[in-house]
Structures are given as C-alpha cells and as structure tokens.
Amino acid sequence: MTRTKESRHTSNARGQPLPRKSILLADDQKDEREIQRALLEHLGYRVEEATDGEMALEMARELSPDLILLDIAMPKVDGLEVCRTLRADPRTSSTAVLFYTASAAAENDKCVRTAGGNGILVKPVEPKDVADAIVDLIGPANP
C-alpha cells in the first residue's frame, strides 16, 4: 500500500497542529484522484488514496477515515460492495461514505441507499458541490 503525502497543517495559538479530518479517496482513475485530492487538500482535509475496492477496504479498516469518497465502478471490488462490507464491520460501520459516479442512472441512487451510502454525486462534479456534501456529512477539516 502506498502512502501519500499530507498537506500543510494549520496551527493553534501555541503553534501546535490542529487535528484535521481525514478522507479516503477511492477511485481507479488517476486523473480523477488528482483533481479530487487537490480540492480536498485545499479544503484542509488529510487525504489518502486507494486505487481499487480491495485496497479501499484494507485502508478503511487500517486508517479509520472520517469519510470515504468512493467511486462505484472500480476493479476487484465495486464501490457498492465496498460500502456493504464496511457497514457490516463494526470497525467501519459508522464511517461516512459519499459515492461519486459517472452514471446518472436513477437506479444508482437506490443502490447507494441500499448499500448504506450517505449520498451520491454524479461526475463531473462541481468543486463547490463536493465541498458542500463533505461538510454536510463530516463538517470542516479542522474542528
């Protein structure tokens, strides 16, 4: 598993880093990960990346992120199965899961709800919509 670099911390009055919320970004498309990472880090979140569903499950259990931004169509294990597996595991059952997909098919919304997802965004997604959805689910990066 590859670790990714963290962006800068903000500090309190004593110069101590404030805790930042973390997001696991799971998408098999490198360009999409780069776009979303830039946005999420700009918003102040710590970001880790997974390139397939199997890696997303492993990293979710290991890192306990505050939110998983999860593509539906991924290799090895699709996003819906990742979410169902997370919901069945006491260690990850309460982790916020925000799906994003290139398909606007109406059945995706129903599938996401059935799998236990907290929401869905359809690509291409405006940065403000991503930011608003994440803040609605887990709040700003720094408490």
Side-chain angles (χ1 to χ4, degrees), residues 20-74:
R20 294 184 303 152
K21 293 183 181 168
S22 63
I23 295 176
L24 174 58
L25 174 57
D27 195 317
D28 59 315
Q29 300 296 315
K30 182 180 180 188
D31 56 341
E32 189 66 34
R33 287 194 317 272
E34 289 173 355
I35 292 166
Q36 296 305 327
R37 170 184 276 285
L39 170 64
L40 298 171
E41 288 182 339
H42 175 76
L43 294 170
Y45 295 98
R46 284 182 300 133
V47 180
E48 297 287 345
E49 296 179 11
T51 58
D52 62 55
E54 191 174 273
M55 180 185 255
L57 284 169
E58 179 182 322
M59 291 180 75
R61 290 175 180 135
E62 180 183 331
L63 302 173
S64 300
D66 295 289
L67 179 134
I68 301 172
L69 187 58
L70 184 61
D71 188 18
I72 290 178
M74 287 196 303

Side-chain angles (χ1 to χ4, degrees), residues 2-23:
T2 303
R3 294 277 179 216
T4 54
K5 65 181 180 179
E6 290 190 6
S7 63
R8 69 190 189 300
H9 287 275
T10 55
S11 301
N12 65 15
R14 295 181 185 170
Q16 300 166 321
L18 294 172
R20 294 184 303 152
K21 293 183 181 168
S22 63
I23 295 176

Side-chain angles (χ1 to χ4, degrees), residues 21 23 39-40 43-45 66-67 69 96 98 121 127-142:
K21 293 183 181 168
I23 295 176
L39 170 64
L40 298 171
L43 294 170
Y45 295 98
D66 295 289
L67 179 134
L69 187 58
L98 179 60
L121 299 169
K128 182 183 182 333
D129 295 336
V130 175
D132 289 348
I134 291 171
V135 170
D136 285 348
L137 288 171
I138 64 170
N142 289 316

Side-chain angles (χ1 to χ4, degrees), residues 99-105 120-126:
F99 283 97
Y100 71 125
T101 180
S103 172
I120 185 169
L121 299 169
V122 178
K123 299 176 195 175
V125 183
E126 291 295 322

